[in-house]
């Protein structure tokens, strides 16, 4: 259940290369192919950003069953994939990660336990 919510700057809205799949880039950069079937990326366009600016700001949700090594690989892989996808220097991409405990997810009207 790696889920990324990405907020992108207005200037990037037209820079998306539709021939490149962001999920595939994320799998490639994270090195965790078994996560691909569960990965989700939501892209939202920002209208205004105040303060320290980033071209892409992502919030990554991960279940607590992932090891620290896999968490690191997934968050670093997401940052690298976003940099590649939008042709940005890494300093323009910001990723935060939240760990979700078992039972705090509802899918198909059922609490998900792992």
């Amino acid at each position: 259940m790696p889920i990324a919510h990405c907020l992108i700057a207005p200037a990037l809205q037209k820079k998306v290369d539709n021939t490149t799949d962001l999920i595939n880039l994320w799998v490639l950069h994270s090195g965790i192919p078994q996560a691909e079937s569960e990965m989700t990326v939501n892209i939202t366009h920002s209208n205004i950003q105040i303060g320290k600016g980033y071209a892409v700001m992502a919030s990554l949700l991960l279940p607590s069953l992932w090891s620290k090594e896999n968490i690191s690989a997934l968050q670093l892989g997401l940052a690298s994939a976003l940099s590649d996808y939008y042709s940005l220097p890494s300093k323009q991409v910001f990723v935060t990660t939240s760990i979700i405990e078992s039972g705090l997810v509802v899918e198909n009207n059922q609490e998900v336990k792992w």
Side-chain angles (χ1 to χ4, degrees), residues 92-113:
Q92 285 295 309
V93 177
F94 184 83
V95 175
T96 59
T97 303
S98 297
I99 305 302
I100 309 302
E101 295 297 324
S102 179
L104 297 180
V105 172
V106 174
E107 184 177 39
N108 195 24
N109 208 30
Q110 300 288 320
E111 289 182 339
V112 178
K113 309 246 188 229

Side-chain angles (χ1 to χ4, degrees), residues 30 32 34 60 62-77 97-99 101:
S30 70
I32 305 177
Q34 66 272 25
L60 176 58
L62 293 175
S64 59
L65 65 88
W66 289 100
S67 69
K68 288 184 180 188
E69 293 79 17
N70 283 343
I71 290 169
S72 179
L74 286 165
Q75 66 188 7
L76 290 169
T97 303
S98 297
I99 305 302
E101 295 297 324

Side-chain angles (χ1 to χ4, degrees), residues 15-47:
K15 286 191 171 185
V16 177
D17 175 4
N18 292 325
T19 64
T20 303
D21 183 359
L22 183 54
I23 295 285
N24 287 337
L25 284 173
W26 190 7
V27 169
L28 177 71
H29 286 285
S30 70
I32 305 177
Q34 66 272 25
E36 182 175 10
S37 65
E38 295 296 321
M39 287 177 162
T40 300
V41 177
N42 298 301
I43 306 289
T44 304
H45 304 279
S46 172
N47 291 325

